Amino acid sequence: MGVSHIVVVGGVAGGMSAATRARRMNEHTRITVIERGGYISFANCGLPYHIAGRIVREDKLLVTTVEQVRARFAIDVRVQTEVMRIDRAGKTVEVRDLKSGQVEMMGYDKLILATGASAIVPGMEHVRAENVFTLRSMEDTRAIQKYLGEKKPKSAVIVGAGFIGLEMAEALHDRGLAVTVVEKVDHVLPPLDREVAVDVEHELRLHHVEVITGTGLAGLVADEAGRVTHVVLEDQRKLAAELVLLSIGVRANVGLAKEAGLTIGASGAIAVDGYQRTSDADIYAVGDVAEVTHGVTGRNARVPLAGPANKQGRLAGEHAASGEARGADKPVGTAVVQVFSETAGLTGLGEDAARKAGFDVDTAYVSGGHHAGYYPGAERLRIKIIYDRATGKLVGGQIVGKQGVDKRIDVLATVLHFGGTIDDLAALDLAYAPQFGSAKDLLHMAGFVAQNQRSGVTAAVRYRDVNGASVIDVRTTEEFARGSVPGARNIPLDDLRGRLGELERTREYAVMCQVGLRGHVAARILSQNGIMVKNIKGGYALAKEEMDVPMEKA
Ligand code: FAD
């Protein structure tokens, strides 16, 4: 195909994947990458760990350099150079060298927009103060490092408890600062459902990170020198802060595209077709700036993550260079984050998001060791799966624990990718040895629980939905004595068959254990003896959280 010049705007995840794939597919075309910042292919995802001091050398964050890309791929890479405007009719871009100020008009046959996203900065006084930061680029990282090194702040307020906010909470804690995290919704890690995020919140508190949820940023107070001293919250609280990090989300950098008249989708990112082509067939968009077709909802959405950005770049580069490529992936939104020693992973839709998207979903909860209990070192994992009631198709999954979260969330993501059901999940043939998992892995158990619920073997409800049923707590008397829900009656599981006479056939019961497993056994005993019963999902551990009992680990 006669493509003589491919111009890529943005030289990080999506842009460099596009440029290098284009070269591998077409040795003869001219390829130029224009990057506004000073670096290409830097590891955004590693930035918090550099600030934490775990990735010591800054150059380790540079996956490749301008010189390496020029030498190996014969790609003309221009850093500190910005594309200012696209002239679609003339097929040129206006390029400004930010060092010299020189402007040039550069022709293209194919243009790939990989301009990414920018951290959202609210419009309020003092957001540009020297001690108020966002984290997106190497330059942002340097600014934070410099401030930490020179001013040695002792306290930080992080606004926004998403992935970056929490990674930075840990990083700044590691640097010796007293950290407070503020989150507008009622729990940390908003993409997770609240009852799953609880363990992460607990972990933050365990490390003396203060967590304030359910209120947002209202304003910043600065001293005479213009340095922010306090963060004011919507609930009027005023927090002292020597460093403020704003991590309240990202906005797609669609300015160029908008000005050029390209179609912007309802999600706020650039609308693309199955080959990442925008409404102009010679212009592609990839990464955080582009919309995707969501793999679960089938709707257009933004999934601003590194994996999709890299793969979309690869696809667009190939298509631009050769005129052919396999169609675009449909990401389901899979992410994992570590907060101190707790890891949280999610894929697909959470329960609330699924309902908002119009799914009629049910949920299943399991909790247990990440490998066989008899092998030393098993750590507790909590898994929630969300599935479509009518079809049994998996809609999403969320996992939290200290070990084994990453591989299991990837298994759930794989099931989602193939449109699998809870039966598929239960049937997966997964690797097992005692130090890695269980012969019936917790993922299988999640599938079994969902199957039991869906087929009616055991009806199950959240504690908040017991609706007047009498609660029987089937844990041991010792466990019961340590705490129970109001009005519950204790009949330990192993005594249950002998005490059936105490229960009425005309009444409905809800059985509760610690996490739901013994409750299922109890429910089977009772229902097969003609007693109306439901198992309480997630047991006392989950109910306690619903009752707003101060957080404590199950
Ligand atoms: P970017 O990486 O943002 O690159 C866009 C580039 O375009 C920028 O360098 C910008 O300077 C340049 N640009 C913009 N406009 C112009 C212009 N007009 N002219 C020239 N250049 C321009 N994702 C994960 O999946 N896992 C993680 O663990 C993870 N951690 C992260 C941690 C941090 C701190 C951050 C900031 C992000 C993290 N992400 C993570 C998200 C991930 O990094 C992004 O999804 C990914 O980098 C998007 O790639 P991109 O190429 O679309 O955009």
Side-chain angles (χ1 to χ4, degrees), residues 477-493:
T477 43
E478 293 76 25
E479 286 175 288
F480 185 71
R482 282 201 292 270
S484 62
V485 299
R489 172 165 158 203
N490 183 217
I491 307 182
L493 176 61

Side-chain angles (χ1 to χ4, degrees), residues 9-15 34-37 39 42 44-48 81-84 114-117 135-136 164 167 253 256 286-289 304-307 309 334 336:
V9 191
V12 191
I34 309 289
E35 167 54 53
R36 182 165 61 189
Y39 305 88
F42 66 90
N44 314 45
C45 313
L47 301 179
T81 308
E82 185 169 3
V83 170
M84 311 301 290
T115 49
L135 181 63
R136 181 79 203 176
I164 295 172
E167 286 173 353
N253 291 329
L256 278 179
V286 302
D288 288 3
V289 78
L305 290 168
T334 306
V336 65

